[in-house]
Amino acid sequence: MLATRTRIVGVLVGCLADLALSDPKRGHPVAAFGRAAATLEQFTYRDAKIAGALHVSLAVGTVGLIGTAVQRATARGNPILPVAATAAATWVALGGTSLVRTGLDMAQLLDRDDIEAARRLLPSLCGRDPARLDGSGLTRAALESVAENTSDAQVAPLLWAAVGGVPAVLVYRAINTLDAMIGHRSPRYIRFGWAAARLDDVANYVAARVTAALVVACALLVGGSPSGAVAAWRRDAVRHPSPNAGVVEAAFAGALDVRLGGPTQYLHELQIRPTLGDGRAPTAADLRRAVALSRIVQLGAAALVAIGCASGAPSAHTRRAQRRRP
């Protein structure tokens, strides 16, 4: 139990670091992993699912071994070390503050009707083709990205870190990064990226639904509708091509009374997405509300982690009884 509580303390410290410091501007470990994975791809790439599975196994497996070694090394000696290691890994895996800042910057550009600058900023949020998007399209793309990344970059890292510490949260971030790199359905990656995309679906399945539940619980704090979030989640999520993004985006759409989905232009293809929610087309003000909701959901996830630790702690009576056992 002590190890669990130490891990949870590290997770919460890592969350506070993300809130206070955002991502490191230089030498980010996730960027270093991306470069290493791209180098590995030069040797592993074949237009086949088995090659993609090998690529993912090597990249993710290496990260898992490193994370396990770090966790074991810091478990001995100074009790501060495991807290620091878990906090650092959680901070590296989180992207909440960067998401908030980018989302607010996008809303400001859209308010000023600075479409060209908004197009330049959009790749920081998602992989859409910004050249083909007007102000309305940029707003929808940004809001959908904020919604999806609330799960991917905020809730999921906290949950994985709480469950498995350093190796679990680093492996999760490696899986999610590989999905962003090769998991899309471009001609090059439709087979090679299959394993990365499916593994990311599994890794985010629980977190997406926890995120949607937190959206429902927190909707009123941004003037939203909990019942609208539930209705859109139940009605629209199943029609989305992603088993996880659809859940979160539908909950955001219903909570904010906006309409998401529809034709979605990526660099490599046009996807006709289902409509999520039955409200109005989103505006820059709605994007700001989505950003605020995203931040509140991250804090809610951190609170769930802390509550889970507290509820799992043995009572004083139980601890005395345990000490009396022969």
Side-chain angles (χ1 to χ4, degrees):
M1 186 62 205
L2 180 60
T4 300
R5 298 185 71 175
T6 299
R7 184 169 67 246
I8 298 303
V9 170
V11 173
L12 297 177
V13 171
C15 183
L16 290 174
D18 175 65
L19 295 174
L21 304 175
S22 186
D23 292 326
K25 296 186 181 301
R26 294 183 180 179
H28 199 301
V30 175
F33 170 79
R35 290 191 294 270
T39 301
L40 177 64
E41 185 183 329
Q42 297 176 13
F43 301 95
T44 57
Y45 180 82
R46 303 289 187 279
D47 189 16
K49 290 182 179 180
I50 188 66
L54 174 63
H55 177 77
V56 170
S57 298
L58 290 172
V60 173
T62 299
V63 170
L65 290 173
I66 293 171
T68 300
V70 169
Q71 184 154 289
R72 287 178 177 173
T74 56
R76 312 184 193 95
N78 192 325
I80 297 299
L81 291 179
V83 173
T86 304
T90 303
W91 174 44
V92 163
L94 284 168
T97 297
S98 293
L99 179 66
V100 164
R101 289 177 179 173
T102 307
L104 291 177
D105 287 346
M106 178 64 79
Q108 185 177 41
L109 292 173
L110 292 168
D111 267 339
R112 297 204 307 256
D113 203 28
D114 192 343
I115 301 302
E116 289 306 315
R119 285 171 175 162
R120 290 193 295 270
L121 182 60
L122 187 66
S124 299
L125 285 170
C126 61
R128 311 283 174 89
D129 183 358
R132 304 192 186 191
L133 297 178
D134 58 8
S136 178
L138 289 164
T139 304
R140 177 170 73 85
L143 202 156
E144 289 173 356
S145 180
V146 167
E148 182 176 0
N149 281 292
T150 300
S151 176
D152 290 4
Q154 299 185 77
V155 176
L158 289 174
L159 296 183
W160 279 108
V163 169
V166 175
V169 71
L170 293 184
V171 162
Y172 167 74
R173 178 48 63 204
I175 292 170
N176 192 244
T177 302
L178 286 175
D179 178 58
M181 294 176 68
I182 65 173
H184 44 83
R185 295 177 61 85
S186 67
R188 176 178 173 86
Y189 293 126
I190 191 168
R191 281 177 286 273
F192 184 77
W194 178 87
R198 298 293 77 75
L199 189 58
D200 185 73
D201 288 343
V202 173
N204 279 296
Y205 188 86
V206 172
R209 283 142 186 87
V210 171
T211 302
L214 286 170
V215 168
V216 173
C218 301
L220 286 174
L221 297 177
V222 294
S225 168
S227 61
V230 171
W233 176 5
R234 294 180 62 183
R235 182 188 65 232
D236 300 332
V238 295
R239 298 186 290 118
H240 196 280
S242 168
N244 299 323
V247 168
V248 183
E249 291 177 20
F252 264 80
L256 300 175
D257 191 27
V258 298
R259 185 177 65 257
L260 302 177
T264 303
Q265 181 66 57
Y266 289 94
L267 294 174
H268 51 276
E269 69 173 343
L270 173 66
Q271 293 185 7
I272 305 302
R273 297 280 182 86
T275 299
L276 306 174
D278 54 8
R280 63 190 180 281
T283 64
D286 294 314
L287 178 56
R288 287 193 176 87
R289 292 170 67 215
V291 169
L293 182 56
S294 177
R295 174 60 90 204
I296 294 168
V297 166
Q298 179 179 346
L299 295 175
L304 284 180
V305 168
I307 292 168
C309 176
S311 64
S315 65
H317 174 76
T318 302
R319 289 195 296 269
R320 286 194 297 269
Q322 290 173 340
R323 284 196 295 268
R324 287 197 295 268
R325 289 175 184 169

